[in-house]
Amino acid sequence: DDTPGNVQRLCAKARNPVRRDILEQLGAGDLGLTCAAVCVYPSRVKDAVDALKGTGIPVASVATGFPSGQVPLAQKLDEIRAAVDDGAREIDIVISR
């Protein structure tokens, strides 16, 4: 159910993964905690890149026919290229067994 709105909410959570009051209670208010990356399907990479602009949080993408990986190699490569072209800085792939 990835939609632009869902991706925007996911990215907002990535910018502030732990509520400020909780961080303060833990004495971690000044640590600047964020997520390492936000991972989305290739069709939503642009949405995530836009939502995270200026945060320094990179966008990752699952590709290669996630989750099964049961698609032709050419399609896998096309998904990877499209995700990278749209701004993904990491690609999580499914390795065929």
Side-chain angles (χ1 to χ4, degrees):
D1 292 344
D2 280 348
T3 64
N6 286 345
V7 171
Q8 288 172 354
R9 282 190 293 280
L10 176 67
C11 292
K13 183 66 175 172
R15 285 191 303 271
N16 297 295
V18 182
R19 287 189 347 233
R20 185 81 181 153
D21 62 312
I22 294 172
L23 289 174
E24 295 294 335
Q25 288 178 358
L26 294 172
D30 296 329
L31 292 181
L33 295 179
T34 62
C35 290
V38 170
C39 190
V40 295
Y41 285 105
S43 62
R44 293 289 169 230
V45 168
K46 282 183 187 180
D47 297 327
V49 168
D50 290 344
L52 293 169
K53 188 172 244 155
T55 66
I57 300 171
V59 174
S61 181
V62 293
T64 66
F66 182 85
S68 70
Q70 302 300 307
V71 296
L73 178 60
Q75 184 176 340
K76 291 177 180 183
L77 295 173
D78 286 343
E79 280 188 0
I80 292 168
R81 285 186 197 102
V84 170
D85 288 348
D86 287 345
R89 294 189 27 214
E90 173 187 320
I91 302 295
D92 294 349
I93 64 169
V94 177
I95 299 172
S96 300
R97 296 178 251 171

